[in-house]
Each structure stands twice: as structure tokens, then as C-alpha cells.
């Protein structure tokens, strides 16, 4: 039985607060950025289905929470969440949630993600071509697998430096293109450009996290891209992600131009430049921690300005 909040000892964390913290609500806006981009790009082209968009949002939230719980569990079991880690303590590491409880939470959110994904396919595609439905179902299973096996599982791919590829694919290409297709049942090649932009910016958020944790990740055998590159080259890589992401948005508008409003996203450039400069300048791990949130919020600002510009301009 859960301990009532009023009965929680002074200084302890209540079960409800522990689970909410483990969900990491601050990561949700970033995970939703690709859904908003795909959904409102479809709206800019005259096609928007509210029910499809709403279930896509729910599915993404569930997958992100599953990923966060798996990351908490996996890093605690594989040694990345140790006394050497510079970021905030995780729930299992701090003892607020036991590993067994976290595994049950992962199973619950895995099942909820699967159920929500199936509902999304039914509402969006109905009795459409079977191969399309099967393809999206397999993509959903891949998303669940990727959420769990980033740091958990027998061979977590995040420990081999493949997290950047996964984030680029699922937070960028799959999120934007998949949402756009479920809204419209079409997929113009140009949509790959804003999808790549979101993928680059989401990967930049992960890169800040991994630059911060270079020391503890190296000790734990977690060979991320910054561990492979070293701190200086990892910061150059960060600038590359920011530059390529912004360039993709510019090329998209240039090739699909119909209104000056489409350039509204340019207003987010100072936020991205500021993040790049601060990541380059700050060398201490704890100084980098606030830049995670700043990069995530910069991505959200870019997303909102981009989609508003496309919809208003249309």
C-alpha cells in the first residue's frame, strides 16, 4: 500500500512525487515538437484531423514516459547513475523507487503505448491498405523497443553511441513524417526537411546532456558521441547540429515559398546561437545542466514559430 502524502517522513519523497519526477515532465514538450510540426504542416496544406492529432499526442507522451522510466532503470543498473554523475539524481539511484517497481512501471507504460498506438492507427487509417497499417504497427513496435533499449536491456544501444541516431530518427523523421502521413495519407519529400530540422535540434539536446556527463559516462563504459569525440570536438558537433537543423528549415521555405509569414521561425535564431555559444564557453559539467532546458525550450520556440508561420501564411 502506498504511504499517504501526509504520512511521508520529513525530508522524504512521497511515492506520487517520486513517480512524477521519474516521468520527467520537462522532456515532454521536446518529444511533442515533432508531432506539432507534422500535424500543423498538414493543416497548412488544408488537412487536419483533430482526433488523429490528439491520439498522436497521447501516444507520444506515453512513449516518452516509457523511455524516461527505462533510462532511469537502465542507467542505475549499468552504472551510469553513480556518485560521479553530474546531473540531478534519478529515482532508482536515489532509492525513491525500487528497480522492481520501475520495471513494473515500464511494463505498464509499454502496454499503454501499444494500446494507444493501435487506437491511433485505427482512427487514422481505418481499413486502409493492409501493408500500410502493418508498416506503421511495426514502426510503433520499433519505437517501443527503442524507448526501452536505449539504456536498458542486455545490450543498450545508448552505451554504444547510437543514441544520437535514434533521437534523430524518432524525434525527427518518424515523428514529423509519420504524423503528417496519418493526417493526409500522403508524404511529399519536402516534409523530410522540417523533419530533419527537428531531428537535429532534439539530438542537440541529447548532445548537451552527453557533454555534461562525459566523465561519468566514460567511467561507466557508456561510449556516447561526446565520449568518442572528446569535449572540444563534441562542441563543434553541437554547432553542426544547430546549423544543419536551421538550414533545413530555410531550404524548406525557399522551395515551398508562398508567404513572408513562413520566415517567422527566423526569430528563434538568437536562442539557438546563444545555446551554441554557452555550450562552447561553459566547461564545468554543472554549468551545462541549465543549457539542457534552454536547448529544449529553444527547440519548442522554433517549432511554434515555424508551424505558426506555415499555417498563417497559408
Amino acid at each position: 500500500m502506498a504511504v499517504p502524502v501526509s504520512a511521508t517522513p520529513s525530508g522524504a519523497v512521497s511515492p506520487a512525487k517520486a513517480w512524477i519526477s521519474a516521468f520527467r515532465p520537462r522532456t515532454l514538450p521536446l518529444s511533442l515538437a515533432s508531432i506539432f510540426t507534422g500535424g500543423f504542416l498538414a493543416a497548412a496544406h488544408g488537412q487536419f484531423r483533430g482526433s488523429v492529432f490528439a491520439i498522436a499526442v497521447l501516444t507520444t507522451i506515453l512513449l516518452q514516459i516509457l523511455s524516461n522510466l527505462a533510462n532511469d532503470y537502465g542507467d542505475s543498473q549499468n552504472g551510469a547513475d553513480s556518485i560521479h554523475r553530474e546531473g540531478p539524481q534519478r529515482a532508482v539511484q536515489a532509492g525513491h523507487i525500487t528497480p522492481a517497481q520501475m520495471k513494473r512501471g515500464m511494463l505498464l507504460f509499454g502496454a499503454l503505448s501499444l494500446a494507444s498506438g493501435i487506437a491511433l492507427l485505427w482512427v487514422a487509417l481505418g481499413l486502409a491498405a493492409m501493408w500500410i497499417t502493418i508498416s506503421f504497427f511495426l514502426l510503433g513496435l520499433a519505437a517501443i523497443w527503442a524507448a526501452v533499449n536505449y539504456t536498458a536491456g542486455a545490450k543498450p544501444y545508448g552505451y554504444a553511441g547510437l543514441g544520437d541516431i535514434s533521437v534523430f530518427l524518432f524525434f525527427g523523421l518518424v515523428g514529423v513524417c509519420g504524423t503528417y502521413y496519418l493526417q493526409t495519407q500522403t508524404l511529399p519529400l519536402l516534409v523530410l526537411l522540417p523533419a530533419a530540422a527537428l531531428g537535429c535540434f532534439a539530438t542537440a539536446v541529447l548532445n548537451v546532456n552527453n557533454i555534461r556527463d562525459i566523465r561519468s559516462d566514460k567511467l561507466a563504459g557508456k561510449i556516447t558521441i561526446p565520449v568518442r569525440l572528446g569535449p572540444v570536438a563534441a562542441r563543434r558537433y553541437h554547432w553542426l547540429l544547430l546549423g544543419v537543423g536551421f538550414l533545413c528549415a530555410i531550404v524548406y521555405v525557399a522551395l515551398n515559398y508562398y508567404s513572408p509569414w513562413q520566415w517567422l521561425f527566423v526569430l528563434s535564431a538568437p536562442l539557438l546561437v546563444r545555446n551554441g555559444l554557452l555550450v562552447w564557453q561553459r566547461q564545468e559539467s554543472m554549468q551545462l545542466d541549465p543549457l539542457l532546458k534552454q536547448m529544449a525550450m529553444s527547440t519548442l520556440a522554433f517549432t511554434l514559430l515555424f508551424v505558426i508561420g506555415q499555417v498563417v501564411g497559408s
Side-chain angles (χ1 to χ4, degrees):
M1 181 181 294
V3 179
V5 175
S6 58
T8 304
S10 177
V13 175
S14 71
K17 282 188 176 180
W19 280 106
I20 291 172
S21 175
F23 291 167
R24 295 187 228 169
R26 73 175 187 175
T27 65
L28 298 181
L30 180 65
S31 65
L32 291 171
S34 61
I35 307 303
F36 277 83
T37 301
F40 286 99
L41 277 178
H45 295 124
Q47 299 184 67
F48 183 83
R49 300 162 66 192
S51 58
V52 173
F53 181 77
I55 303 175
V57 166
L58 174 61
T59 304
T60 300
I61 289 173
L62 293 171
L63 280 170
Q64 184 61 49
I65 292 175
L66 170 63
S67 177
N68 291 341
L69 297 182
N71 188 236
D72 196 312
Y73 174 81
D75 275 344
S76 70
Q77 299 303 298
N78 291 308
D81 283 349
S82 66
I83 58 173
H84 303 291
R85 186 174 180 272
E86 301 288 351
Q89 273 198 330
R90 306 269 178 77
V92 175
Q93 176 193 14
H96 299 147
I97 297 173
T98 68
Q101 289 173 327
M102 188 61 79
K103 285 185 76 173
R104 289 195 291 271
M106 290 162 57
L107 288 172
L108 173 62
F109 276 91
L112 290 173
S113 298
L114 182 60
S116 183
I118 291 172
L120 175 61
L121 294 182
W122 177 257
V123 172
L125 301 175
L127 299 176
M130 186 59 67
W131 73 269
I132 296 176
T133 303
I134 292 174
S135 297
F136 269 95
F137 180 72
L138 293 175
L139 195 58
L141 291 179
I144 293 174
W145 182 90
V148 172
N149 287 277
Y150 172 56
T151 58
K155 292 184 178 180
Y157 64 86
Y159 282 67
L162 300 176
D164 293 53
I165 296 173
S166 178
V167 167
F168 179 82
L169 288 175
F170 286 101
F171 283 71
L173 301 187
V174 172
V176 175
C177 296
T179 303
Y180 186 95
Y181 184 87
L182 290 175
Q183 292 277 359
T184 66
Q185 274 76 66
T186 61
L187 186 59
L189 286 177
L190 277 179
V191 175
L192 289 170
L193 288 168
L198 264 294
C200 284
F201 295 149
T203 305
V205 176
L206 176 64
N207 191 53
V208 177
N209 179 86
N210 289 342
I211 292 174
R212 181 198 66 189
D213 293 341
I214 283 180
R215 177 170 169 267
S216 59
D217 284 347
K218 188 180 296 185
L219 290 172
K222 187 176 182 180
I223 312 301
T224 62
I225 296 297
V227 169
R228 291 181 186 277
L229 295 178
V232 175
R235 286 169 166 83
R236 294 195 182 109
Y237 171 59
H238 191 70
W239 274 116
L240 178 66
L241 290 169
L242 297 179
V244 170
F246 207 76
L247 180 62
C248 284
I250 291 173
V251 173
Y252 174 81
V253 172
L255 295 177
N256 189 47
Y257 182 76
Y258 48 80
S259 167
W261 279 102
Q262 290 179 273
W263 297 107
L264 191 63
F265 73 90
V266 173
L267 295 177
S268 67
L271 296 174
L272 298 169
V273 171
R274 181 172 184 269
N275 182 267
L277 289 172
L278 290 176
V279 169
W280 183 264
Q281 294 165 359
R282 295 184 181 181
Q283 300 300 312
E284 297 297 324
S285 295
M286 290 310 296
Q287 291 180 326
L288 289 166
D289 195 57
L291 300 184
L292 273 164
K293 182 178 180 181
Q294 197 265 341
M295 183 62 219
M297 296 308 294
S298 298
T299 301
L300 184 60
F302 165 86
T303 300
L304 292 174
L305 290 169
F306 182 82
V307 298
I308 288 171
Q310 309 312 303
V311 173
V312 173
S314 64

